[in-house]
Amino acid sequence: MRKVLGRGKYDEFMADALAGNSSPTTWEYSPAPETVPVVIPDQTQLYVGGKFVEPRSKKWFATINPATEVTLSQIADGDASDVDAAVSAARKALKPWEKLPASERAKYLYRIARRIQERARELAILESMDGGKPIKESRDVDIPLAAQHFFHHAGWCDKLRYAMPGTREPRPVGVCGQIIPWNFPLLMAAWKLAPALACGNTVVLKPAETTSLTAMRLAEILQECELPPGVVNIVTGAGATGKALVDHAGVDKIAFTGSTEVGKQIAKACAARGTRLTLELGGKSANIIFADAAIDQAIEGIVQGIWFNQGHVCCAGSRLFVEESILPEVTRKLEMRMKTLRVGDPLDKNTDIGAINSKQQLTIIERYIAAGSNEGCTVWQPSEQALPAKGYWCRPTFMTGVQPAHIVAREEIFGPVLAVMSFRTPEEAISRANNSPYGLAAGIWTEKGSKMFDVARRLQAGVVWCNTYNQFDATSPFGGFKESGFGREGGMQGLAAYLSE
Ligand code: NAD
């Protein structure tokens, strides 16, 4: 059974599905006034050697809409034999893909970028349904940036010698295993695939288990663009599938984005076999507000830094350092601004904060809020707005009275929870900001250019934003220090990881 839904029919249909009166798994959603049918299959397949195939494991698992708890589809659970088939397909495709004239490779990347743009509305809706993020973010950030990554890297295909000065003919690394998380599903796939393909590599991609739907839609796009079979293979599954990819002897390079804990395990496995590796891991980034900053602008930067994508952002500005003299003003304004944020239906274009990606992640976030409260922090949360009865929700939250030793100041929460601390001098701000096992990103808010450059230079962070936060662009390298990983994605630096020395 397949239904086409107008915007107003959505709740009705969901109520129907929840009551067991209709199939929740195969349906179409079309927001008025345009009709954008989003067809979700009952079950997905793997994409291996240019074909959609059943998993050899013959196993599937459910992916749900975290805003409704309704099952959207059954996702193929690839096992080691599926990974093996995908690696073989990637190996077979490597030579012809590498030998293709660079300008021809570029044409495929341009085609993929354009097709993502053409199917952008459908991809945005699917991303919000599967992952819980507000549609305005999927529509304005995730999908356009995914297309931008393919456009940007298409332009690099025939200019790679400039990325590797001194090399006449840069060569690809080979077969790349790429493992991505659930917070920016399609965008992370684009970050990984575009540079790898531009450099002539072939790929086996493993999406995150809670958000595989847009990756499989991307597989359709690759097929539509007639990308040669085996150049990209997509094997869905959970941690065991990722592990099988990491452990496969036929993989020349692993690129991983995810938790520091899993990153460390992968680093050990790759070191043992001498497999090349780049790691994009967790963070606990500092957002520093000086008293001379444009305060209202900085408040928007704080909001963007911690509440964008429900705080499921590796570089979230989750530690706020405020110069002591303006702490009361910042706290008051932040509380006021927080109350204006709308939490709810990710498919509503007015929603600011969508659903938490999974029940498991919600439990983790709630534990951290309780830990902060137990350690004596004051928890600020707007309570006026009712939350939907079904789904996984967390109101925007900030905590004051936080000490650097508190758990909420040290550990990555990966949710919409901000730890607010103060400082007296730039020296103190820098040393507190650097007092973290992570080193992914930071923000500085000041009207003084000299202070901006001085502080930015001394912060141990891969990315430092000044008077802005969470800005991404394919031309800028992104990556971390310390436990936030190594290697860069984006820019010329991102290409080097996919070229052999
Ligand atoms: P996760 O490490 O649990 O999972 C990430 C991916 O790794 C998933 O596809 C998962 O299936 C797979 N995986 C799990 N166990 C594995 C194993 N043993 N071997 C191989 N693969 C395995 O992380 P998550 O919860 O999905 O994502 C959240 C984390 O990702 C956060 O810590 C966040 O900071 C980090 N992250 C970092 C960046 C960055 O660029 N630095 C970007 C986004 C997310």
Side-chain angles (χ1 to χ4, degrees):
M1 182 195 54
R2 184 156 286 163
K3 286 196 174 187
V4 180
L5 305 171
R7 185 73 190 81
K9 295 263 176 70
Y10 175 72
D11 292 344
E12 199 184 301
F13 176 76
M14 278 304 165
D16 213 27
L18 284 169
N21 299 331
S22 68
S23 159
T25 55
T26 306
W27 57 288
E28 297 177 15
Y29 172 73
S30 59
E34 311 96 305
T35 298
V36 183
V38 178
V39 180
I40 302 178
D42 285 332
Q43 66 180 34
T44 64
Q45 295 174 304
L46 306 176
Y47 185 62
V48 177
K51 294 198 178 84
F52 287 93
V53 296
E54 290 222 332
R56 295 174 184 210
S57 66
K58 300 281 175 241
K59 286 190 189 148
W60 281 263
F61 58 88
T63 190
I64 63 157
N65 178 339
T68 59
E69 299 176 48
V70 168
T71 298
L72 293 172
S73 186
Q74 297 290 328
I75 304 295
D77 194 2
D79 66 10
S81 67
D82 293 303
V83 168
D84 187 50
V87 172
S88 300
R91 178 64 59 195
K92 199 169 149 206
L94 182 62
K95 267 269 147 10
W97 180 245
E98 181 189 347
K99 293 290 166 224
L100 207 63
S103 55
E104 288 301 310
R105 272 209 313 272
K107 283 183 195 166
Y108 285 106
L109 270 77
Y110 279 123
R111 231 178 267 168
I112 295 165
R114 278 196 296 269
R115 200 66 190 123
I116 291 174
Q117 286 183 320
E118 283 160 11
R119 296 181 68 170
R121 290 187 62 85
E122 169 201 359
L123 288 166
I125 291 167
L126 199 55
E127 199 74 301
S128 283
M129 287 176 64
D130 201 19
K133 64 173 68 203
I135 188 75
K136 66 179 174 192
E137 291 180 6
S138 323
R139 188 193 60 195
D140 298 345
V141 182
D142 293 64
I143 312 302
L145 278 182
Q148 194 215 4
H149 265 265
F150 280 101
F151 275 123
H152 173 80
H153 288 93
W156 269 112
C157 292
D158 57 2
K159 302 169 196 71
L160 291 173
R161 77 182 82 110
Y162 304 116
M164 296 282 278
T167 319
R168 274 177 69 83
E169 219 189 318
R171 303 271 323 271
V173 176
V175 173
C176 301
Q178 304 184 322
I179 302 169
I180 55 174
W182 44 261
N183 53 349
F184 295 93
L186 188 74
L187 183 56
M188 287 295 117
W191 274 34
K192 294 269 183 287
L193 290 175
L197 299 187
C199 296
N201 299 277
T202 57
V203 173
V204 178
L205 178 79
K206 210 297 278 175
E209 48 271 44
T210 57
T211 53
S212 301
L213 290 178
T214 47
M216 294 322 293
R217 205 54 56 112
L218 181 62
E220 270 178 31
I221 289 175
L222 302 178
Q223 209 179 41
E224 284 170 3
C225 294
E226 296 176 357
L227 187 74
V231 170
V232 173
N233 307 273
I234 304 182
V235 181
T236 49
T241 314
K243 189 171 182 313
L245 185 55
V246 170
D247 291 342
H248 199 292
V251 173
D252 300 306
K253 174 196 158 68
I254 291 288
F256 173 78
T257 297
S259 61
T260 297
E261 189 192 340
V262 173
K264 285 179 180 172
Q265 293 167 22
I266 292 178
K268 273 192 204 152
C270 288
R273 271 216 330 275
T275 309
R276 277 179 65 161
L277 175 67
T278 43
L279 292 175
E280 301 278 358
L281 308 175
K284 190 77 182 174
S285 299
N287 205 0
I288 305 170
I289 321 286
F290 288 98
D292 61 23
I295 303 290
D296 292 348
Q297 219 177 301
I299 296 291
E300 291 312 305
I302 298 167
V303 170
Q304 172 72 4
I306 188 64
W307 293 317
F308 169 63
N309 200 31
Q310 295 75 246
H312 301 327
V313 183
C314 50
C315 52
S318 52
R319 288 183 300 152
L320 180 68
F321 293 101
V322 185
E323 194 160 344
E324 203 172 73
S325 60
I326 55 164
L327 185 62
E329 181 185 357
V330 168
T331 308
R332 181 175 53 78
K333 287 189 165 167
L334 192 59
E335 191 200 2
M336 274 166 51
R337 181 67 175 88
M338 186 170 70
K339 284 183 179 166
T340 68
L341 298 174
R342 292 177 60 158
V343 184
D345 181 4
L347 293 175
D348 184 331
K349 67 182 181 343
N350 294 314
T351 291
D352 298 298
I353 297 183
I356 298 301
N357 183 264
S358 64
K359 189 173 186 180
Q360 188 191 2
Q361 188 61 27
L362 179 60
T363 307
I364 293 171
I365 296 167
E366 285 173 343
R367 261 195 226 131
Y368 275 112
I369 295 175
S373 178
N374 289 340
E375 285 187 312
C377 308
T378 305
V379 179
W380 302 69
Q381 252 184 358
S383 54
E384 295 79 6
Q385 200 193 122
L387 296 177
K390 282 269 175 188
Y392 313 131
W393 310 98
C394 180
R395 297 173 200 275
T397 306
F398 72 87
M399 298 193 197
T400 52
V402 180
Q403 295 303 317
H406 286 160
I407 290 170
V408 290
R410 290 187 285 113
E411 296 183 11
E412 183 182 47
I413 300 175
F414 222 57
V417 182
L418 175 68
V420 182
M421 290 165 276
S422 65
F423 66 88
R424 287 190 180 151
T425 63
E427 291 303 320
E428 195 183 9
I430 294 164
S431 74
R432 285 192 161 194
N434 288 340
N435 180 18
S436 166
Y438 297 110
L440 193 52
I444 303 170
W445 297 82
T446 172
E447 290 294 84
K448 270 196 125 179
S450 56
K451 194 190 282 178
M452 203 183 277
F453 284 108
D454 179 48
V455 174
R457 196 172 41 79
R458 293 159 66 198
L459 287 173
Q460 292 162 359
V463 181
V464 181
W465 286 292
C466 298
N467 291 341
T468 187
Y469 206 93
N470 271 345
Q471 298 294 326
F472 306 99
D473 191 285
T475 59
S476 303
F478 181 90
F481 295 119
K482 302 192 275 185
E483 292 197 12
S484 292
F486 49 78
R488 294 291 178 266
E489 292 189 319
M492 271 167 66
Q493 292 83 347
L495 289 164
Y498 287 99
L499 292 169
S500 56
E501 285 99 338

